[in-house]
């Protein structure tokens, strides 16, 4: 009987250690999935900004942008591309 109880205690400790290890793995997977969600949202935001800038610069139906506006749009485009490169790089 004493050996059975000692064996059960040992098995309980081993099970607890495995459960702690499993919990750590689940927590790591959760943290990684949250980072991926953030990256996807950031990438989408950058792509929206890039699309807007390209539309403004390349739209032949609109009157030509002034040099000042063109510099502003190109600056925004460069900033969006740099942010995107930082996210995926």
């Amino acid at each position: 009987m004493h050996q059975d109880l000692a064996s059960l205690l040992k098995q309980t400790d081993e099970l607890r250690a495995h459960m702690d290890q499993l919990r750590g793995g689940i927590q790591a997977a959760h943290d990684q999935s949250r980072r991926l969600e953030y990256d996807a949202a950031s990438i989408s935001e950058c792509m929206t900004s890039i699309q807007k800038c390209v539309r403004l610069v390349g739209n032949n139906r609109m009157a030509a942008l002034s040099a000042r506006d063109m510099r502003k749009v190109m600056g925004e485009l460069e900033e969006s591309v740099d942010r995107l490169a930082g996210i995926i790089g």
Side-chain angles (χ1 to χ4, degrees):
M1 180 76 172
H2 177 67
Q3 282 184 324
D4 291 341
L5 290 176
S7 177
L8 282 175
L9 284 173
K10 182 180 177 185
Q11 289 175 354
T12 302
D13 289 340
E14 290 172 357
L15 181 59
R16 183 173 291 129
H18 290 301
M19 289 182 69
D20 288 343
Q21 184 180 12
L22 179 61
R23 185 181 191 290
I26 292 171
Q27 183 66 47
H30 177 262
D31 293 344
Q32 183 179 9
S33 71
R34 294 195 42 99
R35 270 184 265 130
L36 291 175
E37 288 174 18
Y38 175 75
D39 289 348
S42 298
I43 289 170
S44 178
E45 180 184 315
C46 289
M47 292 306 297
T48 301
S49 176
I50 291 169
Q51 288 172 335
K52 181 188 89 171
C53 292
V54 169
R55 244 187 333 271
L56 285 172
V57 171
N59 192 345
N60 292 331
R61 291 174 286 165
M62 289 178 53
L65 292 173
S66 68
R68 180 174 155 246
D69 289 341
M70 181 67 80
R71 284 192 304 270
K72 181 179 174 184
V73 169
M74 292 305 287
E76 186 177 336
L77 180 60
E78 288 176 4
E79 180 184 318
S80 294
V81 169
D82 288 344
R83 282 190 4 237
L84 183 59
I87 292 169
I88 63 175

